[in-house]
Amino acid sequence: MDVDAVPQEGNRTLGGHRRVMYARGKDGRMVIVPSRGGEVDETVTLQALERIRDMTEEARSRVLAGKTSPLEYWMYAQRLDLPQLSQVTGFWKWRIRRHFRPEKFAMLPVETLQRYAEVMGITVEQLRRLP
Amino acid sequence: MNVVNEKFQHRHAAHCESGVAASMLTHHGAAITEAMAFGLSSAMTFAYLPFIKFAGFPLIAYRMPPKAILKGIVKPFNMNFHFETFRDPEKGMRRLDELLVQGKVVGLQTSAFWLPYFPEDMRFHFNAHNLMVYGKEGDDYLISDPVAELPQRCPADALRRARFAKGLMAPKGLLYYPDSIGRTVVTEDAVRRAIKKTVRNMLGTVPIIGVRGIRMLASKVAKLNTADKLSLNYVGHIVRMQEEIGTGGAGFRFLYATFLQEAAALPGLAMLAEFAERLVVIGDGWREFALATVRMVKKRDELNPAKLADLLRALADQEEVFFRDLKKAVA
C-alpha cells in the first residue's frame, strides 16, 4: 500500500480518532501514516455492532413478551454473550440460562444480581428492568 | 497525588503490545521502532482457531498470542521484565502508585471495555489490551496508550475496573517494567533468529497455523451457505480481525514488511530489502481480499464464497513461496 492509498475518508466508529497504518512512501521507505479510516474498516465494525444491536432488540421483545428476563437484554446491551457472561461472572452457562427465566430471575438474591450488575457496569436497579 | 515522568515520550503505534514494547525500550535507552519490536519477537503469523469463539465466530489471528511480544524481546536485548499480578485490586492500585512515585513508567494489561477514552464503538470485552502509565494528577492516571494518537487520562476507578476485569485472559492487575537491559542495539544474529522462528510458524505442520491455516480457513469459507444471513457476518468477521483490530493494515503484513526493510540496513542483511517489497505486494493482496469481502457485505456484489476462498488460497500460495525463499535467505 502506498501512502496516498491509506484510507482517509473517515470511519465514524473511530469517534474522531486516527489509527496507525504502515505504507510505502514515494522513496520506497515504509512509514507510519495516521489514518482516519475508510469504508472497509467502517463496514465490518458497523456489521458487528449491528448484529449485537439486533440480538439486544430481539431480547427486548422477548422480555416484553414475558419469555426471558431483563438479564438477557442487558447481557447483549453490554456487549457480552452467554460464554463471555459465564467467564466474567464465574457462573455456569446452564445456571445463567435458568436466570433468563422470568420466574427464576424474580427470585434471585441481591448478591447474585449484584454480581451480574458489577461485571456489566450497571446498578442492580437497572438490571431488574428494561431501560 | 501528583507525579509525572517528564522524560517519557508518547508514541502512536498500530498495535498495543508492540507499541508498548518499543516505547518502553526506547524510554530505557534502547531506541527501537514498533516494527523492530514486532519483528524481533517473531510476532507475525496466521492462526485459524475454530474452538475459540469470538462473538460467536472462530478466532482468526494474524499475530502470536498476547504477551508473545513482551517475552520475545527479552532475549534480543538481553533484558528482563518484572511482572506482578494481584489478587486484591486495592493492593494492585497502591503498587502502581508506589512505582509511579519511584519514577517508573509502568506497563499494564487491561480490558478495552472499561477505558473511558476508547471510542464507544470500539469498546469490546477484550482483556489483553496493553498500555503504559507515566504519571498521576489528582485522581487521574496519565496514560500512554500506543493505539491512541495523543496521551490520555483515565480516572482511578475506571482503570481499576480495566485492570481487574474478569474472563478469558483476565489481566489480574498485571503490571510490568524492565528490570535491566543488557543490550541496546539490534544484532544481525537476533534478526536471523527471529525470522527463522516466523518462517517455522508460517510453514509448520499444524493444520490451523500459518500457510496451512489460511488454506483451512479458505475451505471453511468455500463451504459457507449463501442462504444463511450469518455467512456475511462470518466473512466480515475475517476482515475485522485483519483490518479493524489495530494491525497497521493487511493483518500485520505491512508492519512486518517495515521490520524487514529496517533490518536490511544492518550489516549482512541487505537481502531483506527485496523481501520487504515482496511482502508489501502480498499485503496489497490481503487488502484486495478485504475490499472484495466488503463489496459483498455492502450487497454491491453477491456473496460468492468460492471467489473469496480462491483469493485466500492465492494468498496462502504467495506466502508459502515467500517464506520458503526467506528461509533460504536467512539460513
Side-chain angles (χ1 to χ4, degrees):
Chain A
M1 183 167 54
D2 290 327
V3 167
D4 48 18
V6 172
Q8 302 291 4
E9 315 91 85
N11 168 346
R12 62 191 140 117
T13 68
L14 283 176
H17 287 255
R18 295 197 293 178
R19 66 157 65 104
V20 161
M21 303 277 280
Y22 282 80
R24 190 173 40 197
K26 286 222 160 53
D27 56 356
R29 302 294 307 167
M30 296 295 287
V31 288
I32 286 179
V33 185
S35 163
R36 302 203 168 277
E39 191 181 27
V40 168
D41 34 296
E42 185 181 69
T43 302
V44 290
T45 308
L46 288 177
Q47 187 193 31
L49 289 167
E50 194 187 320
R51 178 156 154 72
I52 295 174
R53 216 164 290 141
D54 285 352
M55 290 190 297
T56 312
E57 287 312 308
E58 268 169 41
R60 180 200 289 275
S61 326
R62 273 181 287 120
V63 175
L64 292 172
K67 287 184 186 139
T68 189
S69 69
L71 175 63
E72 189 179 2
Y73 168 86
W74 281 107
M75 174 177 80
Y76 292 124
Q78 297 307 98
R79 294 187 183 159
L80 293 157
D81 55 17
L82 188 57
Q84 281 180 315
L85 185 58
S86 167
Q87 281 159 2
V88 297
T89 54
F91 295 151
W92 294 98
K93 281 188 268 184
W94 60 264
R95 198 166 161 211
I96 298 174
R97 265 191 226 107
R98 266 167 69 92
H99 297 166
F100 288 166
R101 285 164 49 190
E103 72 279 12
K104 296 282 176 204
F105 183 75
M107 292 180 339
L108 284 182
V110 173
E111 299 80 69
T112 311
L113 293 175
Q114 188 58 50
R115 184 109 145 245
Y116 283 123
E118 167 79 24
V119 299
M120 291 176 177
I122 56 176
T123 63
V124 170
E125 276 323 295
Q126 283 177 295
L127 179 63
R128 281 198 167 118
R129 53 184 62 88
L130 291 176
Chain B
M1 186 175 123
N2 281 311
V3 50
V4 185
N5 190 317
E6 303 281 357
K7 271 182 262 161
F8 179 76
Q9 279 209 322
H10 173 75
R11 294 201 304 190
H12 197 189
H15 177 58
C16 63
E17 197 176 330
S18 47
V20 165
S23 262
M24 274 201 157
L25 281 182
T26 302
H27 180 69
H28 287 94
I32 58 161
T33 60
E34 176 188 21
M36 193 47 87
F38 187 80
L40 278 184
S41 54
S42 311
M44 199 203 86
T45 190
F46 181 90
Y48 163 66
L49 306 171
F51 40 84
I52 305 181
K53 295 282 190 230
F54 197 81
F57 298 106
L59 183 62
I60 295 155
Y62 296 79
R63 60 159 168 102
M64 297 295 275
K67 266 205 189 162
I69 297 174
L70 292 175
K71 286 182 187 158
I73 55 167
V74 163
K75 244 193 190 169
F77 293 98
N78 190 18
M79 64 174 295
N80 247 317
F81 271 111
H82 179 87
F83 291 102
E84 277 178 65
T85 54
F86 303 87
R87 201 172 288 173
D88 176 6
E90 294 318 314
K91 268 191 196 153
M93 294 308 280
R94 266 204 307 276
R95 179 73 178 136
L96 174 58
D97 289 352
E98 256 171 55
L99 291 169
L100 291 174
V101 170
Q102 289 171 24
K104 289 221 158 48
V105 173
V106 185
L108 298 178
Q109 185 188 334
T110 68
S111 152
F113 186 77
W114 300 103
L115 297 173
Y117 59 83
F118 254 57
E120 176 61 28
D121 289 341
M122 293 285 151
R123 290 176 56 210
F124 288 92
H125 293 271
F126 172 66
N127 273 338
H129 186 62
N130 283 277
L131 52 82
M132 287 162 287
V133 185
Y134 65 96
K136 192 177 181 185
E137 263 179 38
D139 190 47
D140 279 358
Y141 286 92
L142 306 180
I143 308 270
S144 168
D145 189 323
V147 300
E149 200 168 356
L150 300 169
Q152 303 291 329
R153 284 165 166 266
C154 180
D157 182 52
L159 190 63
R160 186 178 51 77
R161 276 175 171 278
R163 290 179 65 197
F164 290 91
K166 301 241 164 49
L168 192 66
M169 300 187 288
K172 300 190 180 85
L174 177 72
L175 60 79
Y176 52 89
Y177 54 87
D179 261 341
S180 60
I181 298 182
R183 190 183 298 121
T184 54
V185 290
V186 179
T187 63
E188 180 196 345
D189 180 59
V191 171
R192 282 181 190 268
R193 269 170 202 274
I195 292 178
K196 280 179 192 165
K197 189 173 170 205
T198 300
V199 167
R200 269 201 306 279
N201 279 327
M202 287 302 298
L203 299 179
T205 52
V206 187
I208 55 174
I209 307 291
V211 169
R212 296 191 62 186
I214 303 174
R215 294 202 177 110
M216 180 82 107
L217 178 65
S219 37
K220 181 79 191 144
V221 168
K223 281 186 228 138
L224 287 175
N225 177 359
T226 48
D228 184 351
K229 194 182 155 265
L230 282 186
S231 293
L232 275 179
N233 290 76
Y234 189 101
V235 292
H237 171 76
I238 302 174
V239 174
R240 211 174 136 224
M241 297 295 118
Q242 178 192 314
E243 296 296 333
E244 188 244 22
I245 318 270
T247 69
F252 296 105
R253 269 55 186 165
F254 294 141
L255 183 53
Y256 199 72
T258 308
F259 156 71
L260 292 174
Q261 188 178 67
E262 211 181 293
L266 293 173
L269 294 171
M271 71 289 186
L272 293 180
E274 176 218 332
F275 285 95
E277 279 170 38
R278 280 173 66 182
L279 190 55
V280 172
V281 175
I282 294 176
D284 288 340
W286 282 102
R287 296 281 300 174
E288 276 162 36
F289 165 77
L291 212 61
T293 305
V294 163
R295 289 187 64 84
M296 295 176 195
V297 171
K298 284 244 156 185
K299 309 228 160 69
R300 273 180 223 142
D301 293 341
E302 239 174 274
L303 174 61
N304 184 343
K307 184 187 167 186
L308 295 180
D310 283 345
L311 287 171
L312 284 173
R313 286 196 189 103
L315 286 164
D317 292 346
Q318 288 169 39
E319 293 207 348
E320 184 168 20
V321 176
F322 173 83
F323 283 104
R324 285 240 168 94
D325 293 348
L326 187 58
K327 185 181 181 179
K328 280 181 221 145
V330 296

